[in-house]
Amino acid sequence: MIITDWQARHGLNALDYQHTFDRFVSQGYRLVKVSGYAVHNQARYTGIWYRCGGNAWEARHGISEAAYQQAVTDLGAQGYRPTHISVFSLGDQPLFSAIWEQEKGLIWSASHNLTSDEYQRLFDDMSRRGYRLRCVSGYEMSGEARYACIWDFYAGPAWQARHGLDAWTYQHEFDTLNAQGYRLVQVVGYPIQGTPRFAAIWEQSSGHGWQARHGIPADNYQTEFDSMVQGGFRLVDVSGYGFGSSSGYTSLWEDASADRPTADPVSELIIPLMQKWAIPGLSLAVARQGMFLSSRCFGYVNPITREIVTPEHRFRIASVTKPITATAIFQLIEQGRLFLTDKIFGTGTILGTQFGTLPYGFGIEEITIQHLLKHTAGGWAKGGNDPMFQSPDLNQSDLISWTLDTQPLLYQPGTAWLYSNFGYCLLGRVIEAVTGMPYTAYIQKYVLQPCGITEMTIAGNTAMNRQPFEAMYAGKDLDAPYELLISRMDSHGGWIASPTDLLRFLLKVDSFPMPC
């Protein structure tokens, strides 16, 4: 996410925090981090607000454990998931602060009131099952450590987490992991029997330049804050904690220079667009007259961990897949293995009678290669009845048969234009029938490799099927990007690619003597 306008406050009592919260929200800011802590047996709060778009969100602060659990249940029923949690103890009462976002994306899990042993067992189990720690908060109950945490289920780069560390041990772990290429994602401080303890999450991925602090005395925090802001950094994570008669802070900062709209003409064009539509990350490449001129990347490929977009990252390209499939079809036509007039279904045709139930309905046996290429097969249009988004329980082969049997054509083939994802799904099966190779393997070997492209592949369906260097997807409102059956859409919408690889493809197949 491109953030150019943000606010942060620290050391606020509950009333001042609520007033600050209300004022910022009324000005279009959204809370992204909140930390509660006790100083002299009084509640204090610190928070970070960003002015940016996004899905609907909710926040609570200083609520009881029962109220927090009720909020998780009630908001969950409305499609909200917790994205951040902070817990502290005031006397013998744990108080919860949390942020929720309305989204239908990643599988998630949240737990709280875990002892150190319970948290470690949960950590080991969730990690083994493929979950990744999104947020952790430590707090004290009856002199012992307790933990609250949020987990996400998706594939990604290597990551590490530590908890219950004293200041010296935390610094040692920080230095060790930093030397191994890990980037700090979150760090929190919390008191156990009057001594500060630290918990943190790291990820081995690309990121903006960053700096982190821990154990900052409360009296020094404002000076540190002002210095970092003047140095061009943006606060991305903060926690406060009280211990004895003192209090301190942890903070995590990112270099914000890459997010300045005034940096250059490209940034001036792209960054306002991203902010208007709440686009997390964007990648572009430019070629002119056959020569690559530039590639640029903006924002995060994974906003959860602030992994930034790089030229190597790949994105779902949706229907830009269709020209790739069409290229393979015309390649086979050039080789004399196919003709535009070849029919698709029926005895002696390319796909014969392997799909659907005989006899075929109106017009189906008249459909040709040319009809599928030009979206003139006479039916199966995109929209509410698009077969490719129906019957999620069916595999690709069964879906084709179901469509032929239950969705009759609306027009005689060749007489009407109806944009059809299903038609290009059929072209993928034509390629397989003619070549004897799986669609993906044929495209990679005979279409992409001659273009110098080796990194394009078909996307996975779920977040756990995420490919290396593939973007994370976040649906707007309650859109669910990880409920799409992308693998079933292979030949009409399945590929992932970088902008540079798309240009390599275009420059090879555009047929111009001098590329435009």
Side-chain angles (χ1 to χ4, degrees):
M1 192 71 69
I2 301 293
I3 303 299
T4 56
D5 189 356
W6 62 278
Q7 298 282 347
R9 297 292 186 271
H10 67 279
L12 303 178
N13 63 35
L15 183 60
D16 288 341
Y17 174 79
Q18 185 65 60
H19 288 163
T20 301
F21 178 94
D22 293 341
R23 184 173 76 256
F24 286 154
V25 171
S26 70
Q27 295 171 1
Y29 291 88
R30 57 194 295 140
L31 184 69
V32 294
K33 299 285 182 179
V34 57
S35 172
Y37 52 105
V39 180
H40 299 303
N41 206 35
Q42 297 291 319
R44 292 290 183 268
Y45 296 93
T46 182
I48 306 173
W49 290 261
Y50 290 165
R51 195 198 295 269
C52 62
N55 293 341
W57 62 281
E58 295 280 345
R60 306 286 188 272
H61 72 278
I63 61 177
S64 68
E65 181 177 4
Y68 167 72
Q69 186 60 62
Q70 190 64 50
V72 170
T73 302
D74 293 345
L75 290 171
Q78 302 172 46
Y80 287 83
R81 58 150 302 159
T83 59
H84 182 75
I85 186 170
S86 172
V87 190
F88 72 102
S89 293
L90 195 61
D92 59 355
Q93 175 75 17
L95 296 179
F96 290 69
S97 302
I99 305 169
W100 288 260
E101 184 170 334
Q102 192 176 45
E103 64 175 36
K104 194 174 182 181
L106 301 176
I107 297 171
W108 60 273
S109 178
S111 301
H112 63 276
N113 196 30
L114 302 171
T115 66
S116 293
D117 289 342
E118 289 170 339
Y119 176 70
Q120 186 63 60
R121 286 195 296 270
L122 178 69
F123 183 95
D124 295 340
D125 178 62
M126 298 293 278
S127 301
R128 177 184 55 79
R129 292 162 54 194
Y131 282 82
R132 305 168 71 88
L133 185 62
R134 181 189 190 118
C135 179
V136 60
S137 178
Y139 56 106
E140 183 177 15
M141 287 294 295
S142 302
E144 295 184 352
R146 293 288 190 274
Y147 292 93
C149 50
I150 303 171
W151 297 81
D152 292 312
F153 191 57
Y154 68 92
W159 65 281
Q160 299 277 345
R162 303 288 188 270
H163 67 278
L165 306 180
D166 61 31
W168 186 92
T169 307
Y170 169 73
Q171 185 65 58
H172 175 75
E173 291 293 301
F174 178 95
D175 294 339
T176 299
L177 290 169
N178 189 50
Q180 296 173 9
Y182 284 87
R183 178 176 51 84
L184 190 64
V185 173
Q186 184 202 16
V187 56
V188 294
Y190 53 100
I192 303 297
Q193 297 184 358
T195 301
R197 292 287 186 265
F198 299 93
I201 306 170
W202 291 262
E203 185 176 83
Q204 203 171 47
S205 62
S206 55
H208 291 305
W210 58 278
Q211 292 192 34
R213 301 285 189 271
H214 71 280
I216 308 171
D219 291 343
N220 297 346
Y221 179 73
Q222 187 64 56
T223 300
E224 289 267 356
F225 183 97
D226 295 340
S227 175
M228 296 302 293
V229 171
Q230 291 170 7
F233 284 79
R234 179 177 63 248
L235 186 64
V236 296
D237 189 75
V238 63
S239 77
Y241 54 95
F243 57 99
S245 60
S246 304
S247 60
Y249 293 92
T250 68
S251 63
L252 179 54
W253 298 78
E254 281 190 351
D255 185 350
S257 60
D259 294 342
R260 289 185 293 112
T262 58
D264 53 64
V266 177
S267 298
E268 188 175 7
L269 177 69
I270 294 297
I271 289 178
L273 171 78
M274 296 180 68
Q275 291 179 318
K276 178 179 179 179
W277 298 106
I279 298 171
L282 185 148
S283 182
L284 65 90
V286 180
R288 185 169 185 263
Q289 296 181 340
M291 300 293 292
F292 286 93
L293 297 183
S294 179
S295 63
R296 290 288 300 275
C297 299
F298 298 87
Y300 298 124
V301 75
N302 180 0
I304 297 170
T305 64
R306 301 182 304 280
E307 178 186 2
I308 61 172
V309 182
T310 70
E312 290 73 35
H313 278 108
R314 302 176 290 181
F315 299 76
R316 291 180 181 178
I317 63 170
S319 286
V320 180
T321 291
K322 291 181 175 68
I324 297 169
T325 298
T327 295
I329 292 291
F330 277 103
Q331 189 180 65
L332 294 172
I333 290 172
E334 289 174 346
Q335 296 169 3
R337 302 166 73 181
L338 272 181
F339 297 90
L340 287 173
T341 55
D342 285 346
K343 293 184 177 179
I344 308 301
F345 296 111
T347 303
T349 63
I350 297 172
L351 297 183
T353 59
Q354 62 178 300
F355 298 108
T357 304
L358 292 175
Y360 287 126
F362 160 73
I364 288 178
E365 292 184 81
E366 302 304 314
I367 297 171
T368 66
I369 294 291
Q370 185 167 13
H371 294 146
L372 297 182
L373 285 168
K374 296 178 68 176
H375 302 280
T376 58
W380 309 318
K382 74 169 184 176
N385 293 318
D386 189 333
M388 299 309 302
F389 296 89
Q390 303 293 317
S391 301
D393 56 317
L394 298 180
N395 62 30
Q396 188 182 69
S397 178
D398 290 340
L399 178 72
I400 294 173
S401 293
W402 175 83
T403 302
L404 295 178
D405 289 343
T406 64
Q407 297 205 17
L409 298 183
L410 302 176
Y411 303 96
Q412 181 71 28
T415 64
W417 186 90
L418 297 171
Y419 185 92
S420 176
N421 289 312
F422 183 72
Y424 269 75
C425 172
L426 295 178
L427 287 174
R429 313 298 64 84
V430 167
I431 293 168
E432 292 177 334
V434 172
T435 67
M437 295 177 64
Y439 166 80
T440 303
Y442 181 84
I443 296 293
Q444 287 175 328
K445 184 173 183 179
Y446 292 105
V447 176
L448 301 180
Q449 287 184 19
C451 299
I453 300 169
T454 60
E455 299 302 322
M456 284 180 58
T457 191
I458 299 296
N461 296 335
T462 70
M464 275 306 295
N465 301 137
R466 180 188 179 208
Q467 300 284 349
F469 290 99
E470 183 183 1
M472 287 280 291
Y473 308 109
K476 178 173 169 36
D477 298 322
L478 291 178
D479 289 339
Y482 288 114
E483 292 182 6
L484 298 174
L485 301 179
I486 302 297
S487 59
R488 202 173 73 174
M489 304 176 186
D490 57 356
S491 54
H492 79 77
W495 289 95
I496 57 174
S498 68
T500 300
D501 275 346
L502 285 183
L503 281 181
R504 289 190 176 103
F505 169 74
L506 291 169
L507 292 175
K508 282 288 187 179
V509 304
D510 65 6
S511 81
F512 292 105
M514 174 60 73
C516 58

